[in-house]
Amino acid sequence: MLESHLLAMNKLIKHINILNFLVLVGFLMLSDLAEAQPELINETYNKLNPNGNTKSFLHTHSGIGGPTTVLYVIIQMKNGNNTFPTSVKFNNKSLVRKINGTNNFYRNSVWELIEPDVGTHNVQITYNKGSFGAQGMTALSFQNSLGIGDTE
């Protein structure tokens, strides 16, 4: 009788192990289908008073690099003498302007670079003419992101 209980117990354990294995395989297969969420990996904030046509600051883009990493540079400045950024570069690679907006008080722009170089590099902003006055500049690095798509 004890032998038949042990045999039944072994079959039950094998059944549970196979069931656990199948649940694990199913979970792993579904995990491959789910998209990873964008993750902020580094950020740099600057408040600058540029006095010329260009301004730069250092930003570190860390992480794994590759086609699912993105760098955003956000610039906010007073909406005054029709001065605005015309280009932004990171380690001499050009970012693409994705958003450009103004209101009665501020001019805002968002710039994007897919697959930026890993490391600490200059963010260089070029203006259409001499830029004076306080400006807020933010650089944000993300991984697991494909960018923000078409906006303009």
Side-chain angles (χ1 to χ4, degrees), residues 69-73 86-98 110-117 121-126:
T69 59
V70 181
L71 169 68
Y72 293 103
V73 174
T86 56
S87 71
V88 177
K89 292 183 178 185
F90 180 71
N91 195 29
N92 222 19
K93 287 186 177 179
S94 294
L95 282 74
V96 174
R97 186 179 67 210
K98 301 301 279 186
V110 177
W111 301 75
E112 175 185 74
L113 177 62
I114 305 288
E115 201 171 345
D117 294 335
H121 306 289
N122 268 330
V123 174
Q124 182 172 358
I125 302 166
T126 303

Side-chain angles (χ1 to χ4, degrees), residues 59-62 90 116-121:
H59 174 72
T60 300
H61 179 79
S62 55
F90 180 71
D117 294 335
V118 173
T120 300
H121 306 289

